[in-house]
């Protein structure tokens, strides 16, 4: 029940009747202690448009506006218009009407994970995976078609070093240890080897073999192991795009050809850029010390960012390329596709062709990603430039320590998930020993542990650094997933007890006129989910949803623990009067659904018990 949207329309319609067209009426919740539930300063805008005194116009608006269902009355307070909710009608509307999620259109390509296929994922990588996966869930909820891509850098130095280490040290995989962990041990050993500089010719030879596609099967083993890790965390993918295929499909050349015709590119014949292909980004990236970006050197070799430019152009559908075939099946039974030289052409244009592209890449790539974005402006694609988004995020430390995969100073993502589940089971045994003896105790611990990891990676704005600490992440109090999950379980317990007592939880027998203001406060919080989804889409960040989940849990706990003037429980659902009891059970059922929908947006499952 999006009353704010309905009020906005009603006020704008009334403004039109008063002679003011094109008014954007902002509807806000009134501050605590002020009259009404919602308010608008629209009278100021109308006065600016048609002239007149804002206070007088507000009084006219109060007489003109048609109140939507759920609003009891409207009053002018000086130049402001305040709306008063009909408590029973509002709560009933929240309970009975489905959420009206934003209905956006178009296709979004989200690239995330993109971990070098040379060793296992570490705990720092989890932030990338969780950010990207949550964004995909949120954009889908908002009605958009979402394609999740995972870029596989199979021709890079890291992969070459790991594969070289296997042969150089005579390493043998036992078939038991997870493959990416085993390969990573060789990588760490090589980088700690004092003789490494002398081994460069051998490493270079491996790089050439990777570029020729001779060792792709070796890299595929690592990618399968990476997918197992990410699947366990709840992430899903549509397409694996391999760097060797991006290069082999001519994306770099296609991208540079598009840029050739731009007035912002040139081939200088003198000076330090003589003989190079240069892009001037000053119109798109002002205040740079050097606004000329070299895309291709004078010797004909391309700069690394040129490949990223070509790949971004392909994502937006500026040209065709690559062949595809199935690579794996995810836990839901969906096919994960891969680019492949021996695949089939994309005749149905299933991949790429995005209206918006979101690249989830850490903050070290801020400048290259700005160049990628600016290149779309240079290519005279301003709408695509505007919708080329870099979701930049800061680093993760673990218990105050900086993570370094090269030095082996890290905790693997797999080990972090194992530890989370183990600690969750231990905490269950402390808090409620009976739970730890249940047949589904392992599943309960899994949901709590993985939820704790995901939420810890999401709760802060992406640009803020995170220091992941176990005790904080798994705490039942504070800004944690277990705190939210516990509130959701508490709501389910109320519903279960109500059903066991033979009471209806679907609103049957409810007397909505009995619902008090304290219930209205909770219902208003539940009703916010659609606007939260829209806000998260605009911000290109899932932390908005994570914070809302916390607010929802806090609001419910405050309602649950509320006391009347005599200090007695004010909201005991099952002991409420008949009629109010059924209304409250229906509200709790709607709240429980809101918990499920909200947490699903950020990939967190609710355990059966806590």
């Amino acid at each position: 029940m999006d009353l704010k949207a309905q009020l906005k329309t009603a006020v704008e319609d009334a403004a039109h009747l008063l002679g003011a067209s094109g008014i954007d009426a902002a509807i806000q919740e009134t501050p605590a202690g002020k009259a009404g539930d919602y308010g608008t300063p629209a009278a100021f805008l109308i006065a600016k448009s048609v002239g007149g005194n804002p206070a007088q116009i507000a009084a006219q608006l109060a007489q003109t506006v048609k109140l939507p269902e759920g609003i009891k009355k409207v009053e002018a307070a000086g130049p402001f218009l305040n709306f008063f909710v009909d408590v029973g009608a509002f709560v009933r509307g929240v309970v009975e009407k489905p959420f009206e999620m934003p209905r956006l259109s178009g296709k979004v390509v989200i690239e995330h994970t993109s971990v070098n296929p040379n060793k296992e994922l570490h705990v720092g990588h989890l932030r990338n995976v969780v950010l990207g996966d949550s964004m995909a869930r949120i954009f889908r909820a908002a009605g958009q078609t979402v394609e999740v891509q995972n870029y596989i850098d199979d021709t890079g130095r890291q992969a070459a070093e790991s594969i070289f280490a296997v042969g150089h040290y005579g390493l043998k995989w036992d078939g038991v240890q997870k493959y990416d962990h085993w390969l990573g041990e060789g990588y760490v050993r090589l980088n700690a080897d004092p003789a490494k500089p002398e081994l460069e010719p051998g490493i270079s030879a491996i790089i050439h073999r990777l570029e020729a596609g001779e060792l792709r099967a070796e890299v595929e083993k690592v990618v399968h192991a990476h997918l197992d890790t990410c699947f366990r965390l709840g992430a899903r993918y549509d397409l694996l795009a391999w760097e060797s295929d991006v290069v082999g499909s001519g994306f770099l050349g296609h991208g540079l050809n598009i840029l050739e015709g731009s007035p912002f590119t040139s081939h200088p014949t003198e000076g330090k850029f003589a003989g190079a292909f240069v892009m001037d980004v000053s119109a798109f990236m002002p205040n740079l010390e050097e606004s000329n970006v070299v895309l291709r050197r004078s010797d004909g070799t391309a700069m690394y960012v040129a490949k990223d430019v070509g790949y971004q152009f392909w994502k937006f559908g500026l040209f065709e390329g690559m062949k595809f075939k199935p690579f794996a099946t995810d836990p839901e039974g969906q096919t994960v596709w891969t680019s492949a030289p021996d695949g089939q052409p994309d005749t149905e244009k299933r991949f790429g062709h995005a209206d918006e592209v979101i690249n989830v890449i850490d903050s070290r790539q801020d400048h290259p990603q700005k160049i990628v974005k600016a290149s779309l402006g240079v290519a005279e694609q301003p709408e695509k430039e505007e919708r080329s988004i870099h979701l930049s995020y800061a680093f993760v430390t673990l218990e105050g320590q900086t993570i370094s995969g090269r030095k082996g100073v890290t905790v693997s993502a797999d080990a972090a998930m194992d530890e989370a589940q183990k600690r969750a089971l231990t905490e269950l045994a402390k808090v409620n020993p009976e739970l730890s003896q249940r047949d589904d105790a392992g599943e309960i611990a899994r949901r709590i542990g993985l939820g704790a990891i995901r939420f810890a990676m999401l709760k802060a704005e992406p640009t803020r650094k995170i220091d992941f600490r176990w005790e904080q992440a798994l705490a039942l109090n504070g800004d944690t997933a277990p705190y939210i999950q516990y509130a959701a379980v508490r709501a389910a317990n109320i519903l279960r007890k109500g059903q066991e007592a033979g009471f209806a939880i679907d609103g049957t027998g409810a007397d909505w006129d009995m619902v008090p203001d304290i219930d209205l406060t909770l219902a208003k919080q539940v009703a916010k989910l659609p606007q939260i989804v829209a806000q998260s889409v605009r911000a290109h960040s899932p932390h908005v949803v994570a914070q809302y989940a916390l607010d929802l849990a806090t609001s419910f706990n405050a309602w649950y623990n509320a006391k009347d003037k005599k200090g007695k429980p004010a909201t005991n659902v099952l002991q409420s009067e008949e009629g109010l009891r059924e209304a409250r059970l229906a509200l709790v059922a709607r709240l429980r659904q809101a918990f499920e929908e909200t947490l699903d947006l950020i990939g967190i499952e609710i355990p059966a018990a806590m």
Side-chain angles (χ1 to χ4, degrees):
M1 185 181 187
D2 194 350
L3 260 187
K4 290 178 70 175
Q6 294 176 37
L7 284 172
K8 176 179 169 65
T9 299
V11 172
E12 289 171 355
D13 289 346
H16 182 72
L17 293 175
L18 295 179
S21 299
I23 296 297
D24 185 9
I27 306 296
Q28 303 152 344
E29 292 189 31
T30 54
K34 298 290 183 180
D37 297 287
Y38 298 103
T40 180
F44 287 104
L45 297 176
I46 298 172
K48 187 175 181 180
S49 174
V50 301
N53 181 289
Q56 293 177 344
I57 289 174
Q60 289 179 284
L61 270 178
Q63 297 296 320
T64 307
V65 67
K66 293 183 178 180
L67 300 181
E69 182 183 355
I71 296 296
K72 180 170 58 178
K73 66 177 181 176
V74 59
E75 291 180 354
F80 298 96
L81 212 60
N82 291 337
F83 299 94
F84 295 76
V85 163
D86 180 329
V87 175
F90 182 92
V91 176
R92 182 175 187 174
V94 171
V95 167
E96 295 183 348
K97 295 182 180 179
F99 285 137
E100 297 176 2
M101 289 294 186
R103 301 319 301 169
L104 305 178
S105 60
K107 180 179 182 179
V108 180
V109 166
I110 300 176
E111 181 203 329
H112 71 80
T113 306
S114 305
V115 175
N116 287 320
N118 69 307
K119 65 190 307 294
E120 74 278 7
L121 277 74
H122 59 61
V123 69
H125 292 133
L126 294 180
R127 190 174 198 186
N128 185 305
V129 178
V130 172
L131 281 170
D133 178 66
S134 298
M135 276 281 84
R137 292 166 181 262
I138 291 165
F139 272 80
R140 285 195 186 101
Q144 294 195 276
T145 299
V146 177
E147 177 183 308
V148 178
Q149 296 187 10
N150 182 353
Y151 190 81
I152 311 300
D153 185 2
D154 61 319
T155 63
R157 182 177 182 84
Q158 289 88 346
E161 288 186 354
S162 291
I163 293 173
F164 172 82
V166 170
H168 180 70
Y169 299 116
L171 305 178
K172 300 293 182 182
W173 182 45
D174 62 8
V176 177
Q177 185 180 14
K178 199 160 176 283
Y179 190 83
D180 51 348
H181 288 250
W182 169 76
L183 194 67
E185 290 175 356
Y187 176 77
V188 172
R189 180 175 174 180
L190 177 65
N191 280 281
D193 193 332
K196 185 185 175 186
E198 302 167 16
L199 305 175
E200 283 302 317
I203 297 171
S204 295
I206 295 293
I207 291 176
H208 292 312
R209 292 185 66 192
L210 284 170
E211 292 172 346
E214 297 176 10
L215 300 172
R216 182 155 177 153
E218 295 302 311
V219 181
E220 286 183 347
K221 295 177 186 177
V222 187
V223 175
H224 277 292
H226 282 184
L227 287 180
D228 288 342
T229 298
C230 297
F231 288 162
R232 181 182 176 189
L233 191 63
R236 302 292 181 262
Y237 305 89
D238 297 298
L239 176 65
L240 310 178
W242 292 61
E243 172 151 325
S244 58
D245 297 330
V246 168
V247 174
S249 298
F251 284 11
L252 190 151
H254 291 319
L256 295 184
N257 287 339
I258 290 174
L259 294 171
E260 278 281 3
S262 170
F264 299 99
T265 58
S266 62
H267 295 270
T269 57
E270 56 185 29
K272 65 178 180 178
F273 297 119
F277 180 42
V278 178
M279 177 172 67
D280 181 2
V281 297
S282 57
F284 310 94
M285 297 172 62
N287 304 318
L288 293 176
E289 287 187 20
E290 178 53 71
S291 60
N292 288 305
V293 176
V294 176
L295 296 174
R296 189 164 49 215
R297 302 182 185 88
S298 57
D299 62 3
T301 59
M303 299 295 286
Y304 194 82
V305 73
K307 178 266 301 177
D308 288 338
V309 168
Y311 182 36
Q312 192 81 343
F313 283 9
W314 173 78
K315 289 177 184 175
F316 274 112
L318 295 183
F319 55 79
E320 299 299 324
M322 289 203 293
K323 297 178 181 179
F324 306 93
K325 67 179 184 180
F327 182 81
T329 302
D330 71 22
E332 272 75 54
Q334 300 299 311
T335 299
V336 180
W337 290 77
T338 182
S339 61
D342 60 343
Q344 298 297 316
D346 187 19
T347 55
E348 298 179 8
K349 298 183 178 180
R350 292 182 54 186
F351 302 113
H353 297 277
D355 297 293
E356 180 165 285
V357 174
I358 302 173
N359 295 327
V360 184
I361 307 175
D362 72 59
S363 57
R364 291 174 299 181
Q365 296 297 313
D366 283 352
H367 183 67
Q369 282 295 302
K370 287 178 181 177
I371 293 174
V372 168
K373 181 181 178 75
S375 69
L376 288 158
V378 171
E380 300 180 324
Q381 298 285 341
E383 290 185 6
K384 291 178 173 57
E385 179 195 11
E386 180 68 22
R387 302 191 71 178
S388 178
I389 308 298
H390 175 206
L391 201 170
S392 176
Y393 64 93
F395 292 108
V396 176
T397 55
L398 179 65
E399 301 283 358
Q401 291 190 319
T402 301
I403 297 168
S404 173
R406 181 180 295 272
K407 297 178 181 178
V409 181
T410 184
V411 172
S412 75
D414 295 304
M417 289 188 279
D418 289 341
E419 182 69 11
Q421 185 167 332
K422 177 182 175 183
R423 289 182 180 234
L425 198 57
T426 300
E427 290 301 313
L428 277 178
K430 291 179 182 177
V431 175
N432 191 340
E434 292 182 6
L435 282 182
S436 64
Q437 303 303 314
R438 288 174 50 143
D439 292 341
D440 61 349
E443 174 62 13
I444 292 172
R446 184 191 69 81
R447 294 188 176 203
I448 294 172
L450 295 187
I453 289 176
R454 288 191 68 114
F455 195 82
M457 299 295 171
L458 291 174
K459 65 182 180 181
E461 291 185 44
T463 52
R464 289 180 55 189
K465 290 183 180 179
I466 291 176
D467 181 29
F468 184 84
R469 293 181 179 271
W470 288 110
E471 287 190 10
Q472 292 177 2
L474 289 165
L476 284 175
N477 294 307
D479 52 349
T480 67
Y483 171 74
I484 302 166
Q485 290 168 318
Y486 186 78
V489 169
R490 170 179 277 172
N493 287 338
I494 293 173
L495 297 174
R496 176 179 52 78
K497 291 177 181 178
Q499 289 179 307
E500 289 173 352
F503 304 136
I505 66 170
D506 62 356
T508 301
D511 185 343
W512 300 104
D513 291 334
M514 297 177 70
V515 176
D517 286 348
I518 191 171
D519 293 29
L520 170 65
T521 302
L522 180 60
K524 285 167 72 173
Q525 189 70 30
V526 171
K528 286 182 179 179
L529 181 56
Q531 69 188 67
I532 292 296
V533 170
Q535 185 181 343
S536 181
V537 167
R538 287 194 302 270
H540 292 95
S541 175
H543 85 277
V544 177
V545 175
Q547 288 299 316
Y548 170 71
L550 276 176
D551 293 341
L552 195 62
T554 300
S555 295
F556 175 52
N557 288 335
W559 178 84
Y560 180 86
N561 293 311
K563 301 289 191 294
D564 62 18
K565 293 180 180 179
K566 296 180 180 180
K568 296 181 179 180
T571 56
N572 190 312
V573 177
L574 301 184
Q575 293 184 16
S576 297
E577 294 180 63
E578 184 177 355
L580 175 58
R581 177 185 61 214
E582 283 71 24
R584 282 179 162 166
L585 280 167
L587 175 58
V588 172
R590 193 67 183 89
L591 168 79
R592 166 69 186 201
Q593 183 182 347
F595 272 125
E596 291 176 353
E597 294 184 25
T598 302
L599 289 176
D600 184 63
L601 291 173
I602 50 177
I604 294 174
E605 300 171 283
I606 300 173
M610 287 184 75

